[in-house]
Amino acid sequence: MFIIGIILITIGVIFSTLGALGLVRMPDLYNRLQTSTKATTLGAFSTIIGVGFLNPAWLIKTIVIATFILLTAPISSHNLARASHKWGIPLSDKTSVDKYDSKTGKEE
Amino acid sequence: MVILLYLVVLVLAISALCAIFTKDLLVSVVALGVNSLIVSALFFLMHAPDVAITEAAIGAGLSTAIYVFAIRHTKRQEEK
Amino acid sequence: MKKTEFLTGSFIALTLVVLLGVFFFQALFQPSYEGKVMPIDNVNLKDRVSLHYVLKNVNDASKYLATNGMRYFNNRSSVPSKTITFGKTKNLEEGSANEVTSIVVNYRGFDTLGEVTVLFISIIGLTMLIGGVKEKKLRMPSVIVRTGSKFLFPFILLFGVYIFIHGHLTPGGGFPGGAVIASGFLLLLLGLENFKFNTTVSKVIESLAGVTFVGIGLVGLFMKNSFLANFIPTGTIGFLYSAGMVALIYIVVGIKVGAELSTGVAELKEGNKND
């Protein structure tokens, strides 16, 4: 139990650090949103479940919290990307295709 | 432990200064939201969990939404 | 505002902030009356709060202070109290396990009544100011946001109700519980495409909850000769059915604050249609 908790917390810390690194090095808003959301969601999820394994009395509460984070973080980043495309924040100059541009005119 | 408190207070000062000195009102509202979040973390570090939950729910959630609704009905850029 | 006025104003404000900051920080390092310097992170609770609060049983504390009051200041390691164990001690004077709740609702319950009144008056002011505002349509949200909001709303509501029902056991209470309920309704307002919030029903619920608060106080007046007295027997500390009327008052306050804040947010988005 103890060893599984330590391994999960280490994985969580590594992925959170990689997410922060991606926030600095990516060229564009949309790339930054994608990398930081994916990496930090996994990092937070692993850390919280690792704490649940270290104290087995809290295991069910930590699973509930981690499921809530897993459900809400991708929805919020999707909405951020959609809103910033409407306000016209430019894509980086290395992008070749913009598939969302033709759909901005009509509502889904 | 004391070093952590000083670092958190430094971020608080930076976000408050950013909220005052910018001309775009929407950026200022987001900075106030960050301010409420840091104050909630500071309350938790001082062993007061009731106030931390209240500040997180009201300051970083409802207060920011009410400010954004008020900006929608008026203008977005502060005049000179 | 011209540039010179802005600069002098900000210079004066910065000076005041620096002075206040110096004053606050030097207050943290003052020595106690024994001559020791007390840093922030190992605070001895009995040095910072009064004896009545620590014993949590006002009659015992008065008797102790009447017999040997001066000896408290010299011999602080021998403060007697009955041993209070979680889950076993019955019929204390005020049986809630959360110390903040026992102060806010029982020993200083009249101030909570004033706080609830101030919130009520501010929501009335907000509703009166939104007189001539028209509704602006938001852009229609995408299918992911619509499905997600409909799925998440019952869980947020359940979490808010959990916070104010367990107000006498865990940190929280009525006010954050109501704020979380209002955040759930805000999610529905922003995430669905035509959601009408019925402000008439929520105003009626809020007023009834306020009347119930005062009604509980009046029942205490008739039964024990004191407004907001605790007239229900306090059971075992740590159980859900403990602490007398503290649990009832927090349920009422939670419902009232939740209805109030949801009404305020919905009126800001839609405008007041009563003309």
Side-chain angles (χ1 to χ4, degrees), chain C residues 21-110:
Chain C
V22 164
F23 178 64
F24 284 149
F25 272 106
Q26 65 94 23
L28 283 173
F29 292 105
Q30 287 204 342
S32 68
Y33 45 81
E34 269 185 347
K36 287 193 296 232
V37 174
M38 217 174 312
I40 313 174
D41 42 318
N42 45 355
V43 172
N44 196 359
L45 193 64
K46 293 177 186 167
D47 284 338
R48 292 284 178 132
V49 286
S50 72
L51 183 59
H52 289 193
Y53 183 53
V54 167
L55 288 186
K56 253 176 69 73
N57 205 337
V58 179
N59 302 326
D60 267 354
S62 313
K63 269 187 262 179
Y64 175 63
L65 275 183
T67 53
N68 33 10
M70 274 319 287
R71 225 185 293 165
Y72 166 68
F73 291 102
N74 303 331
N75 197 2
R76 243 170 309 121
S77 60
S78 64
V79 170
S81 59
K82 344 188 238 197
T83 43
I84 299 181
T85 43
F86 192 81
K88 290 208 188 82
T89 318
K90 289 186 203 274
N91 287 332
L92 289 173
E93 179 185 45
E94 198 274 335
S96 73
N98 187 7
E99 303 181 86
V100 175
T101 301
S102 71
I103 296 284
V104 164
V105 182
N106 199 4
Y107 291 125
R108 290 281 182 262
F110 199 59

XYZ file of all heavy atoms in Angstrom, chain C residues 21-110:
718
model
N 2.251 47.707 6.261
C 2.919 46.413 6.189
C 3.965 46.260 7.274
O 4.055 45.212 7.921
N 4.719 47.329 7.520
C 5.729 47.286 8.589
C 5.055 47.081 9.934
O 5.476 46.257 10.760
C 6.561 48.577 8.557
C 7.339 48.754 9.837
C 7.500 48.558 7.380
N 3.939 47.769 10.150
C 3.231 47.655 11.422
C 2.692 46.250 11.645
O 2.802 45.680 12.737
C 2.110 48.689 11.434
C 1.258 48.652 12.658
C 1.785 48.931 13.898
C -0.083 48.327 12.577
C 1.017 48.892 15.024
C -0.864 48.286 13.706
C -0.320 48.573 14.923
N 2.114 45.643 10.577
C 1.560 44.302 10.730
C 2.646 43.284 10.990
O 2.507 42.392 11.806
C 0.789 43.895 9.476
C -0.555 44.541 9.352
C -1.098 44.813 8.122
C -1.281 44.878 10.477
C -2.330 45.404 8.014
C -2.509 45.466 10.372
C -3.034 45.733 9.142
N 3.762 43.386 10.254
C 4.760 42.340 10.397
C 5.484 42.406 11.716
O 5.917 41.393 12.241
C 5.749 42.393 9.229
C 5.280 41.576 8.067
C 4.776 42.185 6.937
C 5.296 40.200 8.117
C 4.314 41.438 5.887
C 4.841 39.451 7.069
C 4.355 40.074 5.955
N 5.624 43.629 12.299
C 6.328 43.644 13.584
C 5.414 43.184 14.715
O 5.896 42.794 15.770
C 6.908 45.027 13.857
C 5.888 46.134 14.044
C 5.547 46.374 15.491
O 6.343 46.045 16.349
N 4.401 46.923 15.741
N 4.095 43.133 14.462
C 3.198 42.612 15.488
C 3.279 41.104 15.600
O 2.874 40.540 16.609
C 1.761 43.028 15.193
N 3.797 40.432 14.558
C 3.890 38.980 14.626
C 5.033 38.530 15.515
O 5.064 37.398 15.954
C 4.130 38.403 13.229
C 2.938 38.332 12.297
C 3.405 37.899 10.953
C 1.950 37.345 12.836
N 6.008 39.395 15.766
C 7.186 38.952 16.490
C 7.254 39.549 17.881
O 8.331 39.713 18.421
C 8.438 39.319 15.696
C 8.540 38.540 14.429
C 8.271 39.148 13.223
C 8.858 37.207 14.445
C 8.334 38.435 12.054
C 8.932 36.491 13.291
C 8.674 37.110 12.097
N 6.113 39.892 18.455
C 6.159 40.451 19.794
C 6.278 39.342 20.811
O 5.673 38.292 20.670
C 4.889 41.232 20.048
C 4.909 42.512 19.271
C 4.039 43.536 19.893
O 3.185 43.210 20.692
N 4.249 44.764 19.535
N 7.018 39.549 21.860
C 7.153 38.497 22.872
C 5.894 38.403 23.720
O 5.186 39.373 23.905
C 8.342 38.967 23.721
C 8.378 40.425 23.520
C 7.865 40.710 22.158
N 5.610 37.195 24.213
C 4.482 37.025 25.114
C 4.884 37.561 26.482
O 6.016 37.981 26.696
C 4.093 35.566 25.220
O 5.111 34.886 25.887
N 3.980 37.508 27.435
C 4.304 38.101 28.731
C 5.257 37.256 29.538
O 5.558 37.563 30.657
C 3.035 38.401 29.512
C 2.036 37.305 29.485
C 2.135 36.204 30.313
C 0.971 37.375 28.599
C 1.208 35.207 30.272
C 0.037 36.372 28.558
C 0.173 35.296 29.395
O -0.764 34.322 29.359
N 5.726 36.133 28.962
C 6.743 35.374 29.674
C 8.125 35.675 29.150
O 9.096 35.121 29.629
C 6.480 33.896 29.511
C 5.609 33.341 30.588
C 5.476 31.845 30.456
O 5.864 31.328 29.406
O 5.006 31.212 31.394
N 8.197 36.500 28.089
C 9.508 36.836 27.585
C 9.966 35.965 26.438
O 11.079 36.078 25.978
N 9.094 35.062 25.943
C 9.508 34.203 24.827
C 9.014 34.804 23.531
O 7.966 35.412 23.479
C 8.889 32.815 24.978
C 9.511 31.995 26.061
C 9.045 30.564 25.904
C 7.560 30.500 26.117
N 7.156 29.509 27.077
N 9.780 34.597 22.469
C 9.334 35.038 21.139
C 8.524 33.908 20.529
O 8.932 32.771 20.552
C 10.550 35.366 20.251
C 10.087 35.675 18.864
C 11.295 36.524 20.822
N 7.348 34.226 19.973
C 6.473 33.176 19.472
C 6.384 33.232 17.962
O 5.775 34.121 17.422
C 5.086 33.373 20.071
C 4.434 32.073 20.372
S 2.899 32.260 21.231
C 3.327 33.377 22.500
N 7.010 32.308 17.231
C 6.869 32.327 15.770
C 5.489 31.847 15.348
O 4.695 31.419 16.167
C 7.944 31.355 15.308
C 8.134 30.470 16.460
C 7.884 31.266 17.688
N 5.219 31.928 14.055
C 3.846 31.758 13.609
C 3.417 30.305 13.664
O 2.281 29.997 13.927
C 3.686 32.257 12.167
C 4.327 33.613 12.004
C 2.234 32.362 11.819
C 4.309 34.042 10.586
N 4.370 29.365 13.385
C 3.865 28.036 13.097
C 3.766 27.112 14.280
O 3.172 26.080 14.161
C 4.680 27.385 11.985
C 6.142 27.655 12.202
O 6.475 28.780 12.561
O 6.931 26.761 12.009
N 4.345 27.423 15.437
C 3.968 26.578 16.570
C 3.310 27.441 17.632
O 3.911 27.813 18.616
C 5.141 25.782 17.119
C 6.375 26.627 17.274
O 6.378 27.776 16.884
N 7.383 26.055 17.864
N 2.076 27.769 17.363
C 1.292 28.606 18.267
C 0.731 27.728 19.356
O 0.155 26.695 19.086
C 0.153 29.281 17.493
C -0.772 29.984 18.430
C 0.711 30.249 16.517
N 0.910 28.131 20.587
C 0.300 27.421 21.683
C -1.104 27.982 21.859
O -1.276 29.161 22.141
C 1.127 27.631 22.950
C 0.766 26.622 23.992
O -0.099 25.786 23.772
N 1.427 26.701 25.120
N -2.106 27.150 21.672
C -3.469 27.661 21.618
C -3.885 28.298 22.922
O -4.626 29.265 22.948
C -4.416 26.513 21.263
C -5.816 26.919 20.878
C -5.788 27.719 19.616
C -6.669 25.711 20.690
N -3.403 27.790 24.024
C -3.827 28.344 25.300
C -3.195 29.695 25.569
O -3.605 30.374 26.495
C -3.458 27.378 26.418
C -4.253 26.116 26.335
C -3.844 25.144 27.396
C -4.582 23.847 27.164
N -4.042 22.765 27.942
N -2.199 30.071 24.780
C -1.657 31.411 24.959
C -2.407 32.435 24.156
O -2.262 33.621 24.388
C -0.190 31.447 24.514
C 0.688 30.801 25.539
O 0.253 30.729 26.690
O 1.783 30.383 25.171
N -3.173 32.005 23.149
C -3.753 32.963 22.228
C -5.239 33.187 22.439
O -5.755 34.188 22.032
C -3.571 32.485 20.787
C -2.157 32.494 20.353
C -1.701 33.882 20.061
N -0.323 33.912 19.685
C 0.175 34.549 18.650
N -0.628 35.230 17.896
N 1.431 34.515 18.361
N -5.977 32.237 22.989
C -7.410 32.419 23.147
C -7.736 32.372 24.625
O -6.957 31.941 25.433
C -8.215 31.338 22.407
C -8.181 31.576 20.952
C -7.669 29.995 22.715
N -8.912 32.841 24.926
C -9.253 32.959 26.339
C -9.636 31.600 26.915
O -9.877 30.642 26.209
C -10.392 33.932 26.509
O -11.561 33.340 26.041
N -9.661 31.544 28.214
C -9.887 30.284 28.914
C -11.291 29.754 28.657
O -11.500 28.559 28.528
C -9.670 30.513 30.399
C -9.799 29.304 31.314
C -8.816 28.269 30.909
C -9.564 29.735 32.717
N -12.274 30.633 28.558
C -13.647 30.199 28.353
C -13.790 29.445 27.047
O -14.510 28.463 26.972
C -14.589 31.409 28.294
C -14.756 32.063 29.603
N -15.731 32.978 29.857
C -14.070 31.971 30.757
C -15.640 33.405 31.080
N -14.641 32.807 31.650
N -13.086 29.899 26.007
C -13.198 29.266 24.705
C -12.548 27.889 24.722
O -13.031 26.967 24.107
C -12.542 30.183 23.683
C -12.631 29.726 22.262
C -13.837 29.406 21.683
C -11.492 29.651 21.490
C -13.902 29.017 20.386
C -11.552 29.271 20.190
C -12.764 28.952 19.641
O -12.823 28.584 18.335
N -11.414 27.751 25.455
C -10.714 26.473 25.447
C -11.489 25.427 26.236
O -11.629 24.302 25.819
C -9.298 26.664 26.033
C -8.672 25.345 26.327
C -8.450 27.424 25.061
N -12.044 25.797 27.371
C -12.785 24.821 28.157
C -14.110 24.495 27.510
O -14.640 23.418 27.696
C -13.040 25.350 29.559
C -11.834 25.422 30.478
C -12.287 25.818 31.843
C -11.147 24.099 30.523
N -14.675 25.410 26.716
C -15.916 25.228 25.969
C -17.104 24.871 26.859
O -18.031 24.235 26.449
C -15.760 24.169 24.894
C -15.713 24.763 23.509
C -15.474 23.714 22.504
C -16.649 22.787 22.361
N -17.741 23.402 21.674
N -17.034 25.280 28.088
C -18.110 24.924 28.989
C -18.109 26.015 30.038
O -17.356 25.973 30.976
C -17.822 23.563 29.605
C -19.080 22.900 30.029
O -20.075 23.554 30.265
N -19.031 21.604 30.123
N -18.928 27.037 29.793
C -18.741 28.326 30.459
C -18.923 28.217 31.966
O -18.240 28.876 32.738
C -19.713 29.349 29.855
C -19.581 30.682 30.511
C -19.438 29.494 28.396
N -19.804 27.323 32.431
C -20.047 27.229 33.880
C -18.824 26.716 34.612
O -18.456 27.213 35.656
C -21.236 26.318 34.129
C -22.458 26.807 33.429
O -22.641 28.003 33.299
N -23.274 25.892 32.943
N -18.150 25.706 34.027
C -16.927 25.192 34.650
C -15.855 26.247 34.725
O -15.142 26.375 35.720
C -16.398 24.011 33.841
C -16.928 22.712 34.390
O -17.593 22.771 35.439
O -16.677 21.684 33.774
N -15.718 27.009 33.626
C -14.657 28.005 33.576
C -14.893 29.091 34.612
O -13.955 29.562 35.246
C -14.583 28.621 32.189
N -16.171 29.483 34.812
C -16.435 30.530 35.805
C -16.098 30.050 37.195
O -15.499 30.762 37.991
C -17.900 30.937 35.761
O -18.286 31.143 34.464
N -16.454 28.786 37.493
C -16.142 28.271 38.825
C -14.643 28.189 39.039
O -14.131 28.512 40.107
C -16.755 26.871 38.990
C -18.141 26.902 39.559
C -18.616 25.516 39.860
C -19.471 25.068 38.692
N -19.999 23.751 38.786
N -13.900 27.779 37.979
C -12.457 27.638 38.127
C -11.806 28.984 38.334
O -10.921 29.151 39.177
C -11.893 26.944 36.887
C -10.402 26.863 36.912
C -9.737 26.137 37.895
C -9.644 27.520 35.980
C -8.384 26.071 37.928
C -8.279 27.447 35.999
C -7.651 26.736 36.976
O -6.294 26.668 37.018
N -12.272 29.981 37.578
C -11.654 31.288 37.716
C -12.005 31.932 39.044
O -11.234 32.714 39.583
C -12.091 32.207 36.572
C -11.272 32.091 35.299
C -11.746 33.097 34.291
C -9.818 32.317 35.590
N -13.183 31.580 39.603
C -13.546 32.185 40.883
C -12.668 31.642 42.004
O -12.308 32.383 42.906
C -15.022 31.908 41.177
N -12.326 30.369 41.954
C -11.527 29.805 43.041
C -10.048 30.126 42.888
O -9.439 30.664 43.799
C -11.687 28.280 43.097
O -11.400 27.770 41.797
C -13.085 27.910 43.501
N -9.450 29.804 41.752
C -8.021 30.108 41.626
C -7.740 30.831 40.321
O -7.268 30.241 39.370
C -7.161 28.852 41.750
C -7.880 27.653 41.167
O -8.902 27.788 40.524
N -7.344 26.496 41.418
N -8.042 32.111 40.287
C -7.905 32.877 39.064
C -6.476 33.277 38.785
O -5.971 33.125 37.689
N -5.765 33.797 39.800
C -4.423 34.321 39.565
C -3.428 33.204 39.288
O -2.428 33.418 38.643
C -3.951 35.126 40.781
C -4.381 36.564 40.750
S -4.233 37.305 39.130
C -2.479 37.476 38.993
N -3.732 32.027 39.770
C -2.787 30.938 39.546
C -2.753 30.536 38.085
O -1.836 29.880 37.649
C -3.169 29.734 40.399
C -1.976 29.127 41.093
C -2.346 27.884 41.822
N -3.219 28.158 42.948
C -3.895 27.189 43.553
N -3.829 25.963 43.123
N -4.675 27.478 44.579
N -3.770 30.962 37.280
C -3.763 30.625 35.857
C -2.577 31.258 35.159
O -1.957 30.658 34.298
C -5.077 31.094 35.211
C -5.011 31.095 33.712
C -4.921 29.902 33.020
C -5.023 32.280 32.979
C -4.854 29.903 31.652
C -4.957 32.273 31.620
C -4.876 31.083 30.954
O -4.810 31.073 29.611
N -2.243 32.472 35.551
C -1.213 33.157 34.787
C 0.165 32.608 35.060
O 1.086 32.813 34.304
C -1.251 34.653 35.115
C -2.485 35.313 34.576
C -3.543 35.605 35.407
C -2.601 35.613 33.247
C -4.677 36.198 34.913
C -3.739 36.207 32.748
C -4.778 36.495 33.581
N 0.353 31.914 36.170
C 1.689 31.404 36.456
C 1.842 29.934 36.163
O 2.925 29.466 35.909
C 2.023 31.624 37.946
C 1.905 33.076 38.310
O 2.110 33.929 37.465
N 1.580 33.356 39.545
N 0.758 29.199 36.165
C 0.886 27.754 36.159
C 0.008 27.165 35.077
O -0.910 26.406 35.336
C 0.457 27.241 37.538
C 0.954 25.835 37.753
O 1.639 25.286 36.901
N 0.592 25.273 38.879
N 0.313 27.541 33.824
C -0.647 27.265 32.788
C -0.688 25.824 32.322
O -1.526 25.459 31.528
C -0.370 28.150 31.573
C -1.497 29.063 31.316
C -1.167 30.080 30.297
N 0.047 30.762 30.584
C 1.067 30.773 29.765
N 0.987 30.154 28.632
N 2.169 31.419 30.068
N 0.218 24.983 32.741
C 0.147 23.601 32.278
C -0.892 22.808 33.031
O -1.188 21.674 32.681
C 1.506 22.934 32.450
O 1.835 22.977 33.812
N -1.463 23.377 34.094
C -2.423 22.600 34.867
C -3.810 23.192 34.740
O -4.458 23.508 35.728
C -2.019 22.595 36.339
O -2.084 23.918 36.806
N -4.283 23.397 33.522
C -5.651 23.871 33.330
C -6.574 22.675 33.350
O -6.493 21.827 32.479
C -5.768 24.605 31.986
C -7.200 24.876 31.652
C -4.999 25.893 32.050
N -7.466 22.546 34.317
C -8.316 21.358 34.319
C -9.533 21.541 33.447
O -10.043 22.621 33.303
C -8.747 21.244 35.788
C -8.780 22.626 36.239
C -7.724 23.372 35.491
N -9.956 20.506 32.802
C -11.241 20.500 32.127
C -11.689 19.054 32.199
O -10.868 18.171 32.339
C -11.106 20.936 30.685
O -10.243 20.080 30.021
N -12.983 18.812 32.082
C -13.356 17.413 32.051
C -12.838 16.859 30.739
O -12.860 17.552 29.739
C -14.876 17.165 32.057
C -15.739 18.238 32.428
C -17.125 17.641 32.542
C -18.044 18.363 31.603
N -19.415 18.162 31.890
N -12.375 15.633 30.745
C -11.857 15.084 29.498
C -13.032 14.861 28.550
O -13.992 14.188 28.877
C -11.180 13.741 29.729
O -12.004 13.007 30.605
C -9.830 13.913 30.311
N -12.935 15.479 27.393
C -14.007 15.393 26.400
C -13.506 14.472 25.316
O -12.570 14.814 24.586
C -14.321 16.790 25.844
C -14.777 17.685 26.971
C -15.363 16.709 24.796
C -15.131 19.052 26.522
N -14.074 13.285 25.171
C -13.640 12.386 24.106
C -14.684 12.377 23.006
O -15.882 12.397 23.251
C -13.472 10.948 24.618
O -14.567 10.658 25.458
C -12.201 10.783 25.353
N -14.187 12.310 21.779
C -15.014 12.357 20.590
C -15.813 11.075 20.477
O -15.259 10.002 20.415
C -14.092 12.515 19.381
C -14.807 12.851 18.121
C -15.180 14.149 17.861
C -15.080 11.894 17.197
C -15.828 14.476 16.703
C -15.722 12.209 16.033
C -16.094 13.496 15.785
N -17.138 11.169 20.507
C -17.953 9.983 20.316
C -18.470 9.383 21.606
O -19.246 8.436 21.555
N -18.048 9.913 22.765
C -18.507 9.275 23.991
C -19.123 10.239 24.992
O -20.020 9.860 25.699
C -17.337 8.576 24.678
C -16.830 7.372 23.959
C -16.215 6.401 24.929
C -15.530 5.276 24.189
N -14.203 5.611 23.721
N -18.647 11.476 25.055
C -19.132 12.363 26.111
C -20.526 12.846 25.784
O -20.804 13.266 24.667
C -18.204 13.575 26.214
O -16.887 13.103 26.100
C -18.379 14.264 27.525
N -21.437 12.784 26.776
C -22.811 13.167 26.502
C -23.178 14.437 27.244
O -22.637 14.746 28.276
C -23.750 12.071 27.009
C -23.720 10.817 26.217
C -24.805 9.911 26.758
C -24.532 8.477 26.452
N -25.004 8.059 25.178
N -24.140 15.158 26.691
C -24.830 16.265 27.352
C -23.879 17.313 27.871
O -23.897 17.682 29.034
C -25.689 15.752 28.517
C -26.900 15.054 27.986
O -27.361 15.372 26.907
N -27.393 14.107 28.725
N -23.035 17.802 26.968
C -22.234 18.957 27.321
C -23.119 20.179 27.271
O -24.284 20.109 26.902
C -21.100 19.112 26.315
C -20.007 18.079 26.412
C -19.094 18.261 25.267
C -19.283 18.279 27.703
N -22.542 21.345 27.617
C -23.344 22.554 27.560
C -23.697 22.883 26.126
O -24.772 23.384 25.832
C -22.562 23.697 28.180
C -23.293 24.999 28.160
C -22.443 26.121 28.682
O -21.273 26.198 28.301
O -22.956 26.879 29.496
N -22.791 22.634 25.195
C -23.047 22.973 23.802
C -22.270 21.982 22.983
O -21.068 22.059 22.911
C -22.571 24.399 23.554
C -23.137 25.033 22.341
C -22.339 24.713 21.119
O -21.154 24.424 21.253
O -22.913 24.757 20.037
N -22.972 21.000 22.389
C -22.239 19.803 22.017
C -21.717 19.722 20.622
O -21.670 18.632 20.066
N -21.271 20.809 19.995
C -20.804 20.666 18.621
C -19.303 20.497 18.629
O -18.594 21.032 19.466
C -21.182 21.887 17.805
O -20.384 22.972 18.170
N -18.789 19.712 17.662
C -17.366 19.395 17.618
C -16.560 20.472 16.936
O -15.354 20.514 17.085
C -17.150 18.062 16.904
N -17.192 21.363 16.198
C -16.490 22.404 15.469
C -16.524 23.668 16.322
O -17.584 24.145 16.710
C -17.217 22.631 14.136
C -16.477 23.563 13.234
O -15.381 23.951 13.523
N -17.125 23.922 12.145
N -15.330 24.220 16.656
C -15.299 25.330 17.606
C -15.862 26.607 17.015
O -16.487 27.404 17.711
C -13.871 25.562 18.050
C -13.261 24.328 18.659
C -11.856 24.591 19.123
O -11.705 25.051 20.249
O -10.935 24.345 18.345
N -15.632 26.806 15.706
C -16.108 28.044 15.085
C -17.632 28.072 15.082
O -18.248 29.098 15.336
C -15.551 28.141 13.654
C -16.103 29.324 12.955
C -14.059 28.216 13.708
N -18.259 26.912 14.839
C -19.722 26.849 14.844
C -20.294 27.183 16.205
O -21.293 27.896 16.314
C -20.172 25.441 14.446
O -19.657 25.161 13.178
C -21.661 25.357 14.409
N -19.641 26.697 17.264
C -20.204 26.948 18.581
C -20.138 28.416 18.932
O -21.000 28.937 19.628
C -19.472 26.127 19.626
O -18.186 26.625 19.812
N -19.133 29.139 18.423
C -19.091 30.573 18.683
C -20.106 31.297 17.811
O -20.857 32.143 18.270
C -17.677 31.125 18.428
C -16.703 30.515 19.405
C -17.676 32.616 18.521
C -16.802 31.073 20.762
N -20.166 30.952 16.514
C -20.951 31.745 15.576
C -22.442 31.568 15.826
O -23.208 32.514 15.719
C -20.577 31.341 14.125
C -21.595 31.816 13.146
C -19.238 31.907 13.778
N -22.890 30.364 16.161
C -24.329 30.133 16.240
C -24.841 30.152 17.670
O -25.942 30.620 17.915
C -24.683 28.789 15.582
C -26.150 28.556 15.622
C -24.215 28.797 14.171
N -24.043 29.666 18.625
C -24.617 29.517 19.963
C -24.257 30.656 20.901
O -25.117 31.296 21.468
C -24.144 28.196 20.556
C -25.043 27.766 21.687
O -26.046 28.416 21.964
N -24.703 26.686 22.324
N -22.960 30.927 21.047
C -22.602 31.958 22.009
C -22.809 33.350 21.444
O -23.025 34.297 22.184
C -21.153 31.793 22.453
C -20.936 30.567 23.289
C -19.992 29.633 22.953
C -21.704 30.338 24.419
C -19.800 28.512 23.712
C -21.521 29.220 25.178
C -20.566 28.306 24.826
O -20.387 27.197 25.573
N -22.696 33.519 20.107
C -22.882 34.827 19.493
C -23.915 34.718 18.387
O -23.692 35.192 17.271
C -21.567 35.333 18.896
C -20.539 35.719 19.905
C -20.849 37.069 20.457
N -19.851 37.503 21.414
C -19.993 37.402 22.727
N -21.076 36.886 23.231
N -19.050 37.823 23.519
N -25.051 34.083 18.670
C -26.010 33.837 17.606
C -26.703 35.089 17.132
O -27.155 35.170 16.006
N -26.809 36.117 17.981
C -27.499 37.330 17.593
C -26.744 38.068 16.501
O -27.344 38.700 15.635
C -27.663 38.203 18.840
C -28.704 39.243 18.704
C -30.007 38.912 18.440
C -28.383 40.576 18.828
C -30.977 39.874 18.311
C -29.342 41.543 18.709
C -30.641 41.199 18.448
